Amino acid sequence: MSYRPANAVDRLILPLDVPTVDEARQLVRQTQGLVGTYKIGMQLQFAGGLQFAEEMAREGHSIFLDVKLLDIDNTITSAVKNLSKMGVRFITVHAYPKNMRAAVKALEDVGNKDLCLLGVTVLTSMDEQDVKDAGYVGPTQNLVEQRALDAVAAGVGGIVCSPVESAAMRIKVGDKLCIVTPGVRPEGANADDQRRVMTPYDAIRAGSDYLVIGRPIYRAEDPRAAARAIVAEIESAL
Ligand code: C5P
């Protein structure tokens, strides 16, 4: 099963990183037809976002539930079994081998082939010093590479990494796994707290399948125009 994207719009993932479901709904309305998948992360999950995710999925939207799961095997397997009933397209798990295997087992047990499990390698907000401070030895790239290989071995559908690592990761994961990259910033946009960033054009050329782009869209004066410009930039890179 491959989870690679269909077209330029499908490649754009908009995180609904806003405080309320009402604001999220407004963003969905504003960007209708220009975003392939809406990502619901922790902020909204703790404010009615889970019900909202199910509702959106029922309406036919492609939903990415960014739960970033990490726990003991039994808890992960049970959690993923429940998540698999929600009709969402992507969920994230931290890319530790056992953790990913427990999530894959859950989908095998329930026979769900539609849900794409994404292994989070190293958060794109982390630079070399942050990775060192967390107790890891060696360059960030090595850690990301190791986790990408572990993702392939565990049998998940894709990985999340920085676009700066996409080209090297494509070689590691081959054609089957999808590569999802946050840390994408159009030319001249504020990097915010992201550390390992690239433009949409360069990210696609480097081998990213899906781009998660939030603040440059939802903080823009005209989110629809911002999304349209990014889709055009993605298109130009294909
Ligand atoms: O606003 P911005 O474009 O920086 O949003 C990036 C989104 O991607 C956020 O929702 C963030 O939680 C998520 N993310 C990330 N880095 C990862 C995994 C997820 O930035 N490695």
Side-chain angles (χ1 to χ4, degrees), residues 202-213:
D202 289 342
I204 296 291
R205 298 301 299 169
S208 300
D209 290 306
Y210 299 95
L211 310 183
V212 181
I213 310 181

Side-chain angles (χ1 to χ4, degrees), residues 7-214:
N7 52 45
V9 169
D10 194 30
R11 288 173 182 263
L12 179 58
I13 300 178
L14 175 63
L16 299 170
D17 293 335
V18 288
T20 65
V21 167
D22 280 350
E23 285 162 88
R25 272 190 225 285
Q26 193 190 339
L27 258 179
V28 171
R29 270 196 302 273
Q30 283 175 313
T31 55
Q32 197 76 43
L34 291 169
V35 167
T37 295
Y38 291 99
K39 183 170 89 68
I40 296 177
M42 282 181 208
Q43 182 183 13
L44 207 57
Q45 284 164 34
F46 299 139
L50 295 178
Q51 291 84 340
F52 178 57
E54 278 190 290
E55 186 191 312
M56 290 271 289
R58 262 199 311 275
E59 286 170 9
H61 290 283
S62 166
I63 300 298
F64 175 167
L65 205 51
D66 194 5
V67 276
K68 295 197 179 71
L69 301 178
L70 175 62
D71 213 314
I72 60 169
D73 299 3
N74 180 57
T75 304
I76 290 295
T77 303
S78 323
V80 172
K81 280 184 185 170
N82 272 348
L83 282 165
S84 76
K85 297 175 196 157
M86 293 180 66
V88 302
R89 182 174 172 195
F90 300 98
I91 62 169
T92 40
V93 297
H94 281 284
Y96 294 88
K98 260 162 79 79
N99 198 53
M100 291 188 286
R101 284 200 297 271
V104 169
K105 179 181 181 305
L107 295 188
E108 284 170 0
D109 286 354
V110 298
N112 184 325
K113 290 194 167 71
D114 298 327
L115 177 59
C116 177
L117 287 170
L118 297 172
V120 178
T121 57
V122 176
L123 294 175
T124 44
S125 57
M126 293 179 81
D127 60 19
E128 295 290 336
Q129 188 58 45
D130 295 322
V131 170
K132 208 167 146 206
D133 290 348
Y136 295 98
V137 185
T140 307
Q141 172 91 3
N142 291 4
L143 184 58
V144 178
E145 276 182 22
Q146 180 60 48
R147 292 190 168 165
L149 292 174
D150 291 340
V152 174
V156 296
I159 58 165
V160 183
C161 64
S162 156
V164 173
E165 292 133 13
S166 284
M169 289 316 113
R170 179 57 72 203
I171 295 165
K172 297 282 169 202
V173 304
D175 279 344
K176 216 170 144 224
L177 264 68
C178 64
I179 299 181
V180 179
T181 55
V184 180
R185 289 292 181 266
E187 205 66 61
N190 191 331
D192 305 300
D193 55 352
Q194 296 287 11
R195 291 290 171 266
R196 310 193 317 280
V197 297
M198 245 189 196
T199 65
Y201 181 91
D202 289 342
I204 296 291
R205 298 301 299 169
S208 300
D209 290 306
Y210 299 95
L211 310 183
V212 181
I213 310 181

